Structure formats: C-alpha cells, structure tokens
Amino acid sequence: MDADDLRLDGNSLGGLLGELFGREMTAALGTCASCGAVGEVATLVVYAHAPGTVGRCRACGAVLLRVVRAERRMWVDLRGLRSLQLEPLGEEP
Amino acid sequence: MAGAAVLGRLGPLRWRLAEVVEVVPETPSAATIVLDVPDWPGHRAGQHADVRLTAEDGYQAQRSYSIASAPEDPRLALTVERLENGEVSPFLVDELRAGDRIELRGPIGGYFVWEANGGPLRLLAGGSGVVPLMAMLRHREATRSEAPATLLYSARSLGEVLYRDELERLGAAGAGLRVSYTLTRERPPGWSGYDRRIDGDMLGEVFGPVDPAATAFVCGPTSFVEAAADALVALGHDPARVKTERFGPTGG
C-alpha cells in the first residue's frame, strides 16, 4: 500500500455528512473560501485516519471541513467552505 | 406502497439490523455477503453502505463497503476483500454465517452513481474497486440498457479477479460490453491480455476515441485512481465526466 493510499476522497464522507445533515451530501457543490474552486463534496481530498476527519480542496489544498468526534460530542468546522449548493429534498436527480 | 418507498429514500440515515442470507466466496481473499435488510429503501448503482460491528465490551468498529448488487435485485450484496490486520473485513469474510445479523446503514452516495439511461460507460477498476462498477453492469443488464460499456480491470493476478465468470457471460458477443484485463504481478502461461500498470497507451487502446456522451467511473486504491483519472483527462476526456472513488486502508 502506498502512503498515497491514506488519502481518500469525499465519497467516504457520505455516512458522516448524512448523519450531520440528515440527507445525501456528497453530490452537493462546495465552493472553496480560499481559491474559489467549485466541486462536488465527493471530490474533496479526505484524510480519515487522523483523530478527526479532514476534507481539503482538490484545487488548492485548503481545509474545507473538519469533523471531530469525542466524548459523545461532534465538533464540525466548515469555515473553509464559502458555500454549499444542493438540490432541495425531493428534487434530486 | 410507492409513497413509503420515496419517504424511506429521503429519510435520514439510520442503522438497520440486516440478516445474512449467505456468504459466497469469490476468491481466496474476498467474499460476497448477501443480506436481507428490513425496510431497505433501495439504492442506485455505485452507492455504498456502512457496516458496524459491536464487541461484547461495547467497542465498535465501522467500515464502508460498496454495494455489488443491482438496484433491481431484491437482496443486498456487499463484496468484501479481507485486509490482513484488518479489524472488520477478516470477520466479515471468514466468520460470518447465514443467519447472523449485522448493523448496516445506507444507501450512501450521490456522486459515484450511474443510471441505466446515463449514457455510455467507461469503467476502470483497480482490484476490489470493481465492486461498485459491477453494480452498474448488473443494473445495465437488469434494465436491458443498450448503453455501450467498456471495463478495464487491473488486478494483481487472475486468481484475484472478482466476478470473472459473470463478466465473461455479460461480455458475450452482442451484449455491448467489452472487458479487458491487465494483470500487474502474475500471469498464467500464455496470457494474452495486458501485463502492466495502466497507462495512457493502454487506456487509448481499450477505450478508443473520446465519446463526449460517455461517463468514466474509476474506482480502486488512491494511486490507481489518480493515475487512471489523470491519463483519461490527458487523452481528452472531460474532467467533469471522469468520476472517481478512492478506496483506502480504512476499508479494513
């Protein structure tokens, strides 16, 4: 296994974000607050083997989201995301 | 009732207790776990599910596995590869028996999915990355879709190839599916397929000219996925039509 293989992608966030938002989120379009790149959450670079889960912009590497679960709490930091665009429930493809 | 099914699909993810119907060995290191899941809301080809195991002392371990079965199949199938030193996969592959129950939630994912009306398919699998692509090919067959499909499957050896007999059947003459293999570590005598890691020349030969209506789905270990996706884009494929899913060590 290459060290590269520790890097996952945003598909792996589906369960976690489903828990947080109560809906499918990996097809949502996120805009990076640092560089303005727009891409599906599924395309983020994800590191899940750290104490928390970190999602980075595939274009510039900036941290877009961090989720830490500890002591029966979840901490969610989305400040690296300028916006999320998604279909209203019931209007997904 | 159709309305209930729709509500189920849109409802929040919740853990369900799934019953193992059978465990089908696929290769010496992989097995397909066929499950009966109460109130399963249905899935799309390419999605995955989370499996959670709880030890007697309360310790929990959770992993994601791709769904191998077509949406049309009444039973849910996950194909799991045993990772040495893995925490969950050795149990699922070696210990699980018909009648056992495991916790499962899903379906998960809305990006790496293909609908039968979704246009021609270019599929690239690295190892067990073939699993969600198999769900697409089974969906294609179940719906009698005429979307042309091409699969390039990279494995270390022929013995590690999943679904080999079924792929041969699905790829029979006239079915509109072509299957090519590359074996990167070990080849049987007289092997006439590819024998190296994927590269641009190979992708050009297998997939031919770029079809702007086609979508490529690439799934496997991170290094495989990135090499394959970069090569497709270098050949002129629209990056927005190259969908990727990376497997990692958390699959253990």
Side-chain angles (χ1 to χ4, degrees), chain A residues 1-2 4-9 11-16 18-19 22-24 26-27 40 42-44 48-49 58 89-90 92-93, chain B residues 9-13 44 47-48 50 62 64 105 108-112 115 197 221-224 226 243-250:
Chain A
M1 168 128 7
D2 298 14
D4 278 356
D5 290 335
L6 289 170
R7 254 187 307 119
L8 297 179
D9 61 38
N11 292 296
S12 68
L13 298 174
L16 181 64
E19 237 174 87
R23 55 167 292 163
E24 205 298 301
T26 60
E40 287 95 345
T43 67
L44 298 190
H49 58 287
R58 190 157 292 279
L89 282 179
E92 304 98 321
Chain B
R9 175 164 157 179
L10 298 179
L13 276 180
R44 300 163 73 193
Q47 288 183 306
H48 66 268
D50 287 344
Q62 180 185 320
S64 298
R105 71 175 180 187
I108 297 169
Y111 166 77
F112 198 81
E115 313 289 351
R197 288 182 176 227
T222 299
S223 44
F224 170 88
E226 296 188 350
K243 299 202 167 193
T244 52
E245 183 166 61
R246 293 157 182 81
F247 277 3
T250 52

Side-chain angles (χ1 to χ4, degrees), chain B residues 34-89:
Chain B
V34 182
L35 296 160
D36 186 11
V37 191
D39 305 320
W40 180 250
H43 67 273
R44 300 163 73 193
Q47 288 183 306
H48 66 268
D50 287 344
V51 169
R52 182 167 75 180
L53 302 179
T54 306
E56 278 176 26
D57 65 2
Y59 173 76
Q60 290 189 321
Q62 180 185 320
R63 298 291 184 272
S64 298
Y65 296 103
S66 288
I67 298 171
S69 46
E72 292 74 18
D73 192 327
R75 296 183 311 182
L76 190 74
L78 308 176
T79 301
V80 178
E81 185 176 27
R82 183 201 310 113
L83 298 187
E84 299 310 326
N85 308 318
E87 223 174 29
V88 175
S89 62

Side-chain angles (χ1 to χ4, degrees), chain A residues 37-38 82 84:
Chain A
V38 179
R82 180 182 303 159
L84 278 170

Side-chain angles (χ1 to χ4, degrees), chain B:
Chain B
M1 192 173 92
V6 169
L7 286 174
R9 175 164 157 179
L10 298 179
L13 276 180
R14 64 180 175 88
W15 293 100
R16 294 179 162 85
L17 211 48
E19 184 171 334
V20 177
V21 178
E22 62 176 325
V23 179
V24 183
E26 297 280 0
T27 68
S29 63
T32 293
I33 297 157
V34 182
L35 296 160
D36 186 11
V37 191
D39 305 320
W40 180 250
H43 67 273
R44 300 163 73 193
Q47 288 183 306
H48 66 268
D50 287 344
V51 169
R52 182 167 75 180
L53 302 179
T54 306
E56 278 176 26
D57 65 2
Y59 173 76
Q60 290 189 321
Q62 180 185 320
R63 298 291 184 272
S64 298
Y65 296 103
S66 288
I67 298 171
S69 46
E72 292 74 18
D73 192 327
R75 296 183 311 182
L76 190 74
L78 308 176
T79 301
V80 178
E81 185 176 27
R82 183 201 310 113
L83 298 187
E84 299 310 326
N85 308 318
E87 223 174 29
V88 175
S89 62
F91 173 82
L92 296 179
V93 173
D94 301 326
E95 310 291 336
L96 210 56
R97 297 287 178 269
D100 289 347
R101 295 206 277 184
I102 56 174
E103 282 188 292
L104 179 138
R105 71 175 180 187
I108 297 169
Y111 166 77
F112 198 81
V113 292
W114 180 75
E115 313 289 351
N117 57 5
L121 275 172
R122 305 275 184 269
L123 306 176
L124 291 91
S128 57
V130 74
V131 177
L133 310 183
M134 194 64 191
M136 296 178 192
L137 291 176
R138 287 170 167 164
H139 178 47
R140 177 180 175 277
E141 193 204 26
T143 57
R144 299 171 192 273
S145 161
E146 288 177 2
T150 308
L151 167 66
L152 174 57
Y153 186 170
S154 173
R156 283 181 294 203
S157 68
L158 205 52
E160 291 190 23
V161 169
L162 294 166
Y163 318 124
R164 203 171 133 212
D165 294 344
E166 187 177 349
L167 284 171
E168 192 169 324
R169 184 174 62 72
L170 292 178
L177 166 67
R178 285 189 303 116
V179 181
S180 299
Y181 295 97
T182 183
L183 303 178
T184 57
R185 194 166 291 180
E186 200 183 304
R187 269 78 53 186
W191 174 249
S192 58
Y194 293 106
D195 60 0
R196 61 184 198 269
R197 288 182 176 227
I198 50 148
D199 54 38
D201 288 344
M202 191 189 298
L203 300 191
E205 284 172 23
V206 170
F207 295 114
V210 172
D211 175 350
T215 304
F217 290 88
V218 187
C219 187
T222 299
S223 44
F224 170 88
V225 167
E226 296 188 350
D230 289 350
L232 284 173
V233 171
L235 287 168
H237 291 261
D238 176 0
R241 286 185 167 272
V242 177
K243 299 202 167 193
T244 52
E245 183 166 61
R246 293 157 182 81
F247 277 3
T250 52

